[in-house]
Amino acid sequence: MKVKNNRMEALKMLISSMELGSQEEVLQALEKEGYKLTQATLSRDLKQLKVAKAASMNGKYVYVLPNETMYKRISKPRSANEMLQTSGFVSINFSGNMGVIKTRPGYASSIAYNIDDSDIPEIIGTIAGDDTIFIVIKEGAAYEDVIDGLSMVIPNIK
């Protein structure tokens, strides 16, 4: 199952960082990352991720992740394996019993899921967008304790 999870994460990274317009282009990109799969498997993966096609800025139809009609693309994308080696965390700021975590595009949802799944006592819950996570902190919790709890999920937060 770990291989499939890694493949799915690589697929999300590739779709979010490159303009891929056909399944053949996606298969070639995945193969460069070390994932050799059939068109049928790719088709199932795309369906599971709810990937759609949308017009890019140059008018070409490309694959996009759900709710991302114009995904933030970078001019010189790193390999999916390189991107998977980093947590995606950018910064954290607090105000009262709220916190905002900034991430790289596409990372917020998975990081928020991991935060919620970790049952950090100081955090009541999260709401995630594409590159931002809103966290609600228990009344009276110290920010240092929140960061200590988050360090289990986001190793480079300190």
Side-chain angles (χ1 to χ4, degrees):
M1 201 63 181
K2 185 175 172 97
V3 171
K4 180 178 180 183
N5 290 340
N6 290 345
R7 183 181 75 235
M8 296 293 268
E9 287 299 315
L11 182 56
K12 287 192 280 189
M13 289 293 123
L14 290 169
I15 289 171
S16 67
S17 65
M18 301 172 70
E19 290 193 351
L20 301 168
S22 70
Q23 288 192 359
E24 186 59 36
E25 289 175 4
V26 177
L27 285 170
Q28 289 172 0
L30 281 168
E31 192 166 345
K32 284 181 187 172
E33 298 297 331
Y35 297 98
K36 181 89 172 129
L37 57 149
T38 65
Q39 183 274 328
T41 300
L42 174 62
S43 203
R44 283 190 295 273
D45 289 353
L46 293 172
K47 184 175 181 177
Q48 183 177 342
L49 291 173
K50 296 181 171 67
V51 170
K53 274 195 167 182
S56 67
M57 290 210 235
N58 64 10
K60 176 183 172 188
Y61 278 85
V62 295
Y63 288 108
V64 294
L65 295 169
N67 304 320
E68 297 301 326
T69 54
M70 286 311 304
Y71 208 83
K72 298 173 186 165
R73 299 192 189 278
I74 49 179
S75 56
K76 291 186 180 174
R78 296 182 295 163
S79 75
N81 283 334
E82 285 177 301
M83 289 187 274
L84 289 171
Q85 299 305 312
T86 63
S87 71
F89 170 79
V90 174
S91 66
I92 185 167
N93 288 294
F94 297 102
S95 178
N97 71 327
M98 298 175 288
V100 174
I101 299 173
K102 298 299 283 179
T103 71
R104 292 198 354 244
Y107 280 80
S109 181
S110 61
I111 293 173
Y113 173 83
N114 290 338
I115 292 169
D116 289 338
D117 198 45
S118 296
D119 293 323
I120 299 166
E122 295 82 12
I123 297 176
I124 295 172
T126 65
I127 299 173
D130 179 50
D131 61 359
T132 306
I133 304 168
F134 173 75
I135 59 174
V136 178
I137 302 163
K138 282 189 180 170
E139 202 68 43
Y143 298 150
E144 296 79 30
D145 294 338
V146 174
I147 290 175
D148 284 345
L150 287 171
S151 67
M152 303 303 271
V153 177
I154 309 168
N156 61 331
I157 196 167
K158 292 187 176 186

